[in-house]
């Protein structure tokens, strides 16, 4: 079901007239077959369910081959989901501080994941996803001043020092599979 929804979204005619697109997925996740997977509502780990969606398929659906309407336009992927079953922190005793006829298969992507590979993603039972809350706050106050990579860095910096995350539950979002070749501003000049 997730695959169909993402594929259908990649085929929307509105992409021709847009300057960019955002794909936001919030669900449970885990590593399946050594790949990041988003779990569907019917997924059950003990019933050998196949209701999951591999994150890498987003890049296939929105690449220049399958979604030519978004060629040379930023495609921002935000994923709030676990990527494994491990804690995010560890104690370390010794730490040191263009041509018209050819386009890249995957270009102008930026993917911001809620956590590192193989690490739990946490959320507040009352307020939901920490990542999404920080994104809303940072983008709401700074999107008119900074490009998207700086906005993501700001979100990560704030999450790193958040006192709610103890050493045992330290979480840090990560930017992955980024192929943006220019700075991307959401609301320039405001």
């Amino acid at each position: 079901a997730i695959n169909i929804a993402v594929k259908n979204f990649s085929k929307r005619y509105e992409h021709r007239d847009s300057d960019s697109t955002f794909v936001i997925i919030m669900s449970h996740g885990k590593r399946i077959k050594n790949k990041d997977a988003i779990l569907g509502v019917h997924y059950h780990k003990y019933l050998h369910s196949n209701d999951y969606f591999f994150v890498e398929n987003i890049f296939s659906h929105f690449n220049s081959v399958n979604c030519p309407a978004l060629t040379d336009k930023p495609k921002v992927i935000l994923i709030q989901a676990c990527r494994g079953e491990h804690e995010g922190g560890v104690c370390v005793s010794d730490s040191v501080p263009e041509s018209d006829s050819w386009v890249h298969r995957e270009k102008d992507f930026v993917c911001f994941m809620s956590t590192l590979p193989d690490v739990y993603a946490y959320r507040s039972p009352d307020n939901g996803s920490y990542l999404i809350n920080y994104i809303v706050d940072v983008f709401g106050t700074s999107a008119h001043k900074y490009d998207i990579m700086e906005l993501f860095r700001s979100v990560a910096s704030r999450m790193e020092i958040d006192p709610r995350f103890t050493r045992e539950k330290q979480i840090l979002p990560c930017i992955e599979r980024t192929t943006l070749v220019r700075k991307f501003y959401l609301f320039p000049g405001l």
Side-chain angles (χ1 to χ4, degrees):
I2 298 171
N3 190 56
I4 292 168
V6 172
K7 188 173 187 176
N8 287 344
F9 181 65
S10 74
K11 302 299 180 198
R12 303 271 314 192
Y13 73 92
E14 292 94 344
H15 293 312
R16 292 177 313 191
D17 299 322
S18 68
D19 295 327
S20 62
T21 195
F22 279 68
V23 176
I24 302 169
I25 299 176
M26 298 171 62
S27 185
H28 294 286
K30 68 182 292 184
R31 297 286 289 176
I32 298 176
K33 300 178 185 175
N34 205 28
K35 298 177 184 177
D36 288 322
I38 306 298
L39 307 181
V41 295
H42 301 293
Y43 179 84
H44 193 282
K45 64 181 176 181
Y46 299 115
L47 300 178
H48 303 290
S49 172
N50 63 355
D51 187 20
Y52 55 85
F53 171 75
F54 289 124
V55 171
E56 68 187 34
N57 291 344
I58 294 169
F59 299 93
S60 298
H61 291 315
F62 284 91
N63 68 21
S64 300
V65 174
N66 295 318
C67 187
L70 286 172
T71 298
D72 291 328
K73 297 176 183 178
K75 295 156 284 286
V76 180
I77 317 304
L78 301 175
I79 298 176
Q80 167 60 46
C82 291
R83 300 180 71 191
E85 300 177 0
H86 300 287
E87 298 290 337
V90 62
C91 292
V92 179
S93 59
D94 264 8
S95 63
V96 177
E98 299 155 356
S99 161
D100 291 337
S101 62
W102 185 88
V103 295
H104 289 280
R105 177 172 283 276
E106 288 184 12
K107 186 176 142 230
D108 296 314
F109 280 99
V110 59
C111 182
F112 199 44
M113 304 287 285
S114 59
T115 188
L116 300 168
D118 299 319
V119 175
Y120 281 123
Y122 294 92
R123 64 180 170 79
S124 162
D126 299 320
N127 299 319
S129 163
Y130 294 113
L131 174 71
I132 299 302
N133 281 306
Y134 273 118
I135 287 173
V136 168
D137 183 47
V138 168
F139 280 37
T141 59
S142 303
H144 66 287
K145 296 187 279 190
Y146 303 113
D147 71 282
I148 197 157
M149 297 304 285
E150 187 59 36
L151 295 171
F152 285 157
R153 266 190 292 281
S154 180
V155 169
S157 294
R158 288 183 59 189
M159 289 180 73
E160 179 188 29
I161 61 171
D162 190 313
R164 292 174 291 187
F165 309 136
T166 64
R167 290 170 73 176
E168 295 79 28
K169 291 187 177 182
Q170 184 179 12
I171 61 172
L172 192 61
C174 100
I175 298 170
E176 289 201 356
R177 202 166 175 164
T178 300
T179 58
L180 284 176
V181 294
R182 296 177 303 276
K183 288 187 175 185
F184 173 48
Y185 293 86
L186 296 174
F187 302 108
L190 288 182

